Amino acid sequence: MKDLKNAGNYENPRLLLKRWKETGRDEYREKAYGIIGSMIEETAEKVSLGRPGRKNARVSIKMAARVNFGGVFTDIPPYCYENGGAVLNAPVLFRGDYPIRAEVSVIDEFLEFECVDTGESCAFDSQIISEPGGICRSFRLHQAVCRVLGIKSGIKIVTESGLPMGSGLGTSSILAAAVIKCILRLYNLQKDDFWVVQKVFEVEQLIGSRGGWQDPCGGLFRGMKICSSHPGLPPRISIDSVRISDYTLEELNKRLIVFYSGTARSAGNVLLQISDSYLLGEKRVMEAYERCISLPGKMKIALESGDLLKFGSLLFEQHEVNKALCPEYITNEIESMFNDIKSICSGAMITGAGGGGYVVVLLDKGRSRMDLCNVLGTEPASMNIEMNIVAEPYEIQEFDL
């Protein structure tokens, strides 16, 4: 395993970031993150699947999105490499159904990609797939999965998401996990979901999102749980389920609401700013991380003891920690909305990297979804995320054509 404190022959990314800060020359910053990317690639398990041995086969999967509650940003590079990370999250449904879907089928030659959301579809040869900039933006994820798994021809990948772009519900990472699980089934490979998480982690770096490992954990592992990693590379993930009483679970299902803020967000800029500040050792971020890493454990204790008032206060604390980690986590419009809903809720925070997307709210006991709609001046139909704390996070099917 490697971390940035023991980076072998690599230049120190921290020194490169300091030069960037001093000179304003972006090549220092690019080189710093290039080194981090190289370390991820160097420590990853090499896979070369080639063409599928089967013919006339198709595998489809539908997956839940994820909502995170505590420990947000402790799973991203480079923090997690040096310190490990811990995030409390859970899978969620969208309008009562799985919002993230993928299908992989065997074809005669080339690679075919289709994105249902944009209506685009293309075929590529092996030479183009190996070039980082060789495919349009709509198919960066498809390309990256094929590169990580060493596939150059013989499959068609179709993806679809029922969530708005920039939702903050882990869509891109869970789509990557969905495609990888389909491919594993198509190739008759026995790999567990921890292995899938590591491969998605590689994909996230290839497509430039700078995401961590918690999104695929939220979509792959059932229920509310703490997902944690040890320091070093590749990330080694463990799952600690939260044991909630039937009464507490019923209360959560009544009072925990997730809704769209009306503003999309781009995670990349937020994550990059946090990583910059961490590498530069800024006091604000270092202190915020110390608070952040302790929150999942505190939330677990509150939930298992049935103390939802404490759990709600910890959601508010995570919200404040996230603002300290990156000022762009919150917009003026969303901050104003938070001030409005505090009168009827015990806790709230933005899911994902912030700046927009979805908001998770724990209503006060006795308050209803309609009360929240009245405060926000919106229609009940917009409150269309159903918490899915106990159901299976995905369903997979295999077909012979």
Side-chain angles (χ1 to χ4, degrees):
M1 290 190 302
K2 284 182 177 287
D3 58 33
L4 298 187
K5 298 173 183 175
N6 301 283
N9 296 323
Y10 292 116
E11 286 188 72
N12 190 322
R14 286 187 168 83
L15 296 179
L16 291 168
L17 257 293
K18 288 179 180 178
R19 291 177 196 165
W20 163 71
K21 194 74 171 177
E22 293 166 354
T23 65
R25 293 171 59 182
D26 287 339
E27 60 262 34
Y28 289 123
R29 190 192 205 190
E30 292 169 1
K31 188 173 184 180
Y33 288 104
I35 289 170
I36 292 173
S38 295
M39 290 171 62
I40 294 173
E41 184 177 2
E42 178 185 304
T43 56
E45 177 189 350
K46 303 302 183 286
V47 181
S48 182
L49 297 185
R51 289 179 58 86
R54 302 168 63 187
K55 293 184 178 180
N56 303 320
R58 172 168 58 91
V59 179
S60 66
I61 190 171
K62 51 185 182 180
M63 297 186 66
R66 72 94 191 91
V67 168
N68 50 250
F69 301 99
V72 186
F73 303 122
T74 64
D75 68 309
I76 66 171
Y79 178 88
C80 67
Y81 304 166
E82 298 187 326
N83 305 278
V87 181
L88 180 73
N89 65 24
V92 294
L93 299 181
F94 186 72
R95 295 175 180 164
D97 198 5
Y98 297 91
I100 297 169
R101 300 168 184 263
E103 180 180 284
V104 180
S105 53
V106 178
I107 58 176
D108 291 334
E109 57 183 345
F110 302 116
L111 288 167
E112 294 184 16
F113 299 151
E114 180 180 345
C115 180
V116 175
D117 310 322
T118 64
E120 296 177 273
S121 62
C122 291
F124 301 96
D125 62 25
S126 59
Q127 182 176 356
I128 294 178
I129 199 68
S130 64
E131 298 172 2
I135 293 179
C136 70
R137 183 178 180 86
S138 298
F139 299 116
R140 288 186 309 160
L141 184 144
H142 308 62
Q143 177 195 21
V145 168
C146 289
R147 289 182 63 190
V148 164
L149 298 182
I151 300 173
K152 296 184 177 182
S153 65
I155 65 171
K156 178 180 179 179
I157 299 173
V158 181
T159 58
E160 179 180 8
S161 170
L163 298 167
M165 184 176 294
S167 67
L169 295 172
T171 306
S172 66
S173 294
I174 298 173
L175 270 175
V179 173
I180 291 171
K181 285 194 70 66
C182 286
I183 290 173
L184 291 176
R185 181 70 69 89
L186 203 63
Y187 280 72
N188 293 318
L189 292 176
Q190 301 299 317
K191 299 288 186 180
D192 61 26
D193 286 339
F194 295 102
W195 188 89
V196 175
V197 170
Q198 291 190 352
K199 291 298 146 187
V200 174
F201 187 71
E202 295 174 47
V203 169
E204 285 290 307
Q205 312 314 310
L206 277 179
I207 65 177
S209 69
R210 307 185 190 281
W213 43 253
Q214 72 110 344
D215 291 343
C217 286
L220 286 167
F221 298 100
R222 65 181 304 170
M224 193 174 285
K225 68 274 182 186
I226 294 178
C227 315
S228 59
S229 72
H230 300 277
L233 288 170
R236 292 174 294 143
I237 308 299
S238 60
I239 302 295
D240 183 12
S241 297
V242 180
R243 294 166 179 82
I244 307 174
S245 70
D246 291 342
Y247 175 78
T248 301
L249 180 59
E250 183 180 356
E251 283 294 298
L252 283 173
N253 286 332
K254 289 178 182 176
R255 297 166 52 189
L256 206 54
I257 305 296
V258 187
F259 66 93
Y260 189 51
S261 68
T263 303
R265 92 299 165 262
S266 174
N269 290 337
V270 172
L271 301 182
L272 181 59
Q273 289 181 40
I274 293 174
S275 296
D276 285 345
S277 298
Y278 172 74
L279 286 171
L280 292 168
E282 294 180 10
K283 183 179 179 181
R284 162 184 58 83
V285 168
M286 306 308 282
E287 291 177 347
Y289 260 131
E290 286 185 15
R291 293 171 62 193
C292 192
I293 194 68
S294 69
L295 288 174
K298 292 178 180 178
M299 289 182 176
K300 183 175 186 286
I301 291 172
L303 288 167
E304 292 186 338
S305 64
D307 190 349
L308 294 187
L309 189 62
K310 178 63 174 178
F311 175 64
S313 71
L314 292 169
L315 287 178
F316 276 136
E317 183 175 352
Q318 181 69 69
H319 179 64
E320 294 301 318
V321 167
N322 291 349
K323 290 195 291 185
L325 283 168
C326 181
E328 289 192 13
Y329 163 82
I330 193 76
T331 65
N332 291 334
E333 293 78 11
I334 294 177
E335 186 69 22
S336 176
M337 179 185 67
F338 267 69
N339 291 332
D340 291 338
I341 65 178
K342 282 182 179 179
S343 62
I344 62 167
C345 73
S346 304
M349 61 174 288
I350 305 172
T351 64
Y358 278 78
V359 175
V360 57
V361 173
L362 179 65
L363 296 173
D364 288 335
K365 190 174 179 61
R367 291 290 188 173
S368 68
R369 183 177 301 221
M370 185 56 69
D371 293 327
L372 182 60
C373 291
N374 290 336
V375 170
L376 296 174
T378 188
E379 296 296 325
S382 67
M383 308 293 166
N384 49 19
I385 293 288
E386 175 187 338
M387 292 305 299
N388 174 23
I389 296 174
V390 294
E392 293 297 329
Y394 60 83
E395 294 180 0
I396 189 166
Q397 292 181 293
E398 185 174 344
F399 307 90
D400 288 322
L401 304 178

